[in-house]
Structures are given as structure tokens and as C-alpha cells.
Amino acid sequence: MHEVDIEKIWKAVFVRLQSSLGNATVETWIAPLSVDRFENGVLYINAPNMFLRDWVQKDYADKILHSCIQENRAIKEVEFSVVGIPSHIYSVPVNTVPEPVAVVPDRRLEEHSDLCIPLDPKLTFDNFVVGKPNELAYAAALRVAESDQVAFNPLFLYGPVGLGKTHLMNAIAWSIKSRSPDRNIAYLSAEKFMYQFVKAVRYKDTMAFKEQFRSVDVLMIDDIQFICGKDSTQEEFFHTFNALVDNKRQVVVSADKSPSDLDGMEERLKSRLGWGLVADIHPTTYELRLGILHAKATLFPVEIPDKVLEFVAHKITSNIRELEGALNRIVANAVLVGREVTVDSARDVLSDLLRVSEKKITVEEIQKKVAAHYAIKLSDMSSSRRVRQVALPRQVAMYLSKKLTTLSLPEIGKIFGDRDHTTVLHAVKRIEKSLESDNSLAEDIRLLTQVMEK
């Protein structure tokens, strides 16, 4: 057997986990770990203390194992230890394609290992915090999960990384299985779907592949954008999709973009994916972030003051994963170091994250981007023109200036042609009210926010 370079593997695993978990989580929980040795298929990993070891075992062991196997198939198990205190070994069956290992309450979900990834028991509807940015996606997912008939076909969930798509996909699967244990669910990533298809072609077993996927009751595919540009896989997915829809079987798909924006996807497949209900998840609002933090805070062994949660909700705006990672780091600091949880201690612990998230977005930059988006002159941002084609973009720019910068209303008003702060406040409230019913405006705000925060 070739010698396994565990340090090289661990570095590669670290990079993989940064991509899947986010920098904050990795720096808090994974960075303190170190690899000890590799023996008989087991990679031994050391933790500096029992608290960190137990936390990693509970929340991240499956993802670490999966990443290790992806780097070297010789690794079959991982064991976490504190010096002198061995811990549980995490393993996957030999001769199976590696997938994340998770504790699942219903073993029937594992009967079709090639078709259903292990579900995360924490990702249920009960644990999903609902707010305006995700309420349509949540309602649609719940309807699909609780309906005995096909509700929307397909249900297409899309949005940026870390906003809850995978949470809703898991929640749908859990709910369907709890209500109808005999329904056959296929839930896998688009990458895994392609892998299964390529394997079937390689071993001349495509008929078995077709029968396997076209006989399921519910097909759920995560990150469908992965098959963009992969013509043969798209062809097979297209026919699988049609066969399931024709037989009134439910299809649920997630992606980072809407069907029409999936570059490299065949037009006929784009059309099919848009047949049912397309529900997007917008970037989080302050209120939603705060709600998520309050829900998560109840799970920790230390009390986290409201002011600290409010501080984190205001400062960490990128996505939910980074938000949860920031909270994890605050808790780890409190438990491991014994430091009181305050806004000042949170600011110290999150200093690197805050430097990244507090990228200096200026009002001038917002004005330029909004003017370009709506095809008006930059000078119109400060002019007295009140026609709608100018007034609306100006109000959007004021709204974004309030949300994305730390400037006061009077300071913002000054940049918009020496306007009074009440004018800015009126614009902000006007846009907030319009967002409740104007989907087109909501999409404009989402796109512009993404552009600003890149």
C-alpha cells in the first residue's frame, strides 16, 4: 500500500471544508484540530480539549470524513481524540461511494444509498427560521412536503450560497418520509447524479440506471447548475424529468440561479425547469438574521446577551453559514477561554470576519451602480427631477445607502443633492413598503445588493 501523506491530505481537507462550511466555522472548529497518524484505514485526529472534540464529533465529523475520503480512498474511518481519551470512530461501509455520514432517525432513508444522501437531522421545517426573504420558498417547500398530490412540478428553489436551499431540501425529504415512509425518495447532488450516469455508461448498465431513477416517487436534485455544459448528463436528466412528470411523480430542484439564468443549460431543459413553481431565496434581512441567531443561541451552553446577537446580525450579512459560524466562534471563545460574552469580546473574536464583511461600500458607488442598472444619468441622483423613471432609482439608491453603509440619514441626504434627512427616510420606507408586493423591485434590490457586496 502506498504511504498516505496525512499532512498533505489534511491541508486539502481544510480547503474543502472552508468551501463547504465557511471560513468562520473552519477557523473556529477545524483549525485547532491536527492529524496524528494513519493506521489500518483509520485517520486519527487530535483535538486540544474535550469540549472541542465533542462539538466536532456532533456537528462536523461526517463532513470531515467525506472530505478525507475524497482526498484519499484509503481512508475508511476517522477517529477524534483528546490525548489519552479516545473517541468514537466514524466510518462508511467499504465498497460504497462516499457520502456525508449523518445520524438519521429513520433507517429506511438509507435503503437506497446510491439514491439518497444521508439527511441532516438538524435541517427540518421546525428548525427553519422564516422571514420575508425566504417565505415563498418555505411555503412552497412545505406544500410539496405535506401534499399527497403533486403540488408544483417541479419545485425549483434558487438563491446564493448559504441562504437555506439545502435546509429546505432536507426538510422536504424528512417530512415526506415521516408522513409516508414507503415513498421512495431519491435525493442527491447533481454531481452525484452525473457520477451515477457516467458509471452506468462505463459498465454498459444504462437500462438499470434509467429504471432506478424513473421508478422513484420523489426526485430531489441539489445544485443542478453543476450539469451546465455537460450535454450527455443533461440529456439523461431531461428524459428522466419528463418520465417522472408524466407519471405524476414529484421533482424538486435547487440551484444558485433561476432556470433562465443557467448558462450552459439546454433551452428545452431551462423551459422544463421553469414549468412548475420557481421560488427564490433573497439575501437575509437584519430581522431574519436576528431571528436565526436567537433560535441558534438557545442551543448553546452559555447565555448570549441580546446586544451581542444584535451586533452580529448587523455586522455579518453575507449568508447564514457565516452568521452561524460567527456565533459558534463567540461560544467557543466563551467556553474555552472563559471570557464573558459582550459586544466588545465579540468584536475581538470576529475581527477578521468584520474586516471582510465591512468592505467600505460608499454612497457614490451605490449611485453609480443603481444609475447604470436603471439606465439613467448619474447626475439624476442629485437632481430635482421627479419623474418616475428617475425618482424610483433615486429612492432605491437611498434605500441601499441606508442598508449597506453606516452613514446617518443626514449624511446620505447631503450626498443626494443636499436633501433633508426626512426625504431619505421617506424613500427608505417607500421602498420597504413596495418590496412587500413588487417582485420585480425585490429582484432589482437583490441583484444590486449582490453587486455591491462582491
Side-chain angles (χ1 to χ4, degrees), residues 83-94:
V83 177
I85 311 176
S87 184
H88 185 71
I89 292 179
Y90 288 79
S91 62
V92 293
V94 180

Side-chain angles (χ1 to χ4, degrees), residues 377-396:
K377 296 177 181 178
L378 180 58
S379 59
D380 285 331
M381 288 292 169
S382 303
S383 74
S384 58
R385 295 182 64 197
R386 295 186 178 181
V387 292
R388 177 172 171 76
Q389 58 264 39
V390 170
L392 177 62
R394 187 189 298 132
Q395 289 178 333
V396 167

Side-chain angles (χ1 to χ4, degrees), residues 146-166:
E146 295 182 344
S147 178
D148 292 327
Q149 304 295 324
V150 174
F152 316 104
N153 226 358
L155 171 59
F156 190 101
L157 304 172
Y158 80 93
V161 171
L163 295 186
K165 300 187 300 296
T166 298

Side-chain angles (χ1 to χ4, degrees), residues 234-345:
Q234 287 188 44
E235 176 81 15
E236 183 56 38
F237 179 74
F238 176 81
H239 293 301
T240 297
F241 178 94
N242 283 341
L244 291 171
V245 171
D246 289 345
N247 286 298
K248 306 248 181 325
R249 309 290 176 84
Q250 182 69 60
V251 179
V252 183
V253 178
S254 79
D256 60 351
K257 299 176 182 176
S258 69
S260 60
D261 291 330
L262 290 173
D263 295 333
M265 190 72 76
E266 293 180 7
E267 288 301 323
R268 62 175 182 169
L269 190 48
K270 285 184 182 181
S271 175
R272 295 295 193 278
L273 291 172
W275 266 2
L277 177 65
V278 177
D280 64 330
I281 303 179
H282 298 294
T284 56
T285 60
Y286 168 78
E287 292 77 14
L288 178 56
R289 292 195 296 274
L290 187 58
I292 291 170
L293 288 172
H294 273 293
K296 297 294 180 184
T298 62
L299 306 176
F300 290 106
V302 298
E303 184 176 351
I304 306 174
D306 287 345
K307 286 189 178 300
V308 173
L309 298 179
E310 292 165 4
F311 170 76
V312 176
H314 178 69
K315 295 295 185 181
I316 308 297
T317 62
S318 53
N319 61 54
I320 295 171
R321 287 181 193 167
E322 291 291 334
L323 192 70
E324 294 178 349
L327 189 59
N328 287 342
R329 190 183 294 194
I330 291 171
V331 172
N333 182 66
V335 174
L336 300 179
V337 181
R339 188 176 179 185
E340 182 184 2
V341 180
T342 65
V343 172
D344 287 338
S345 68

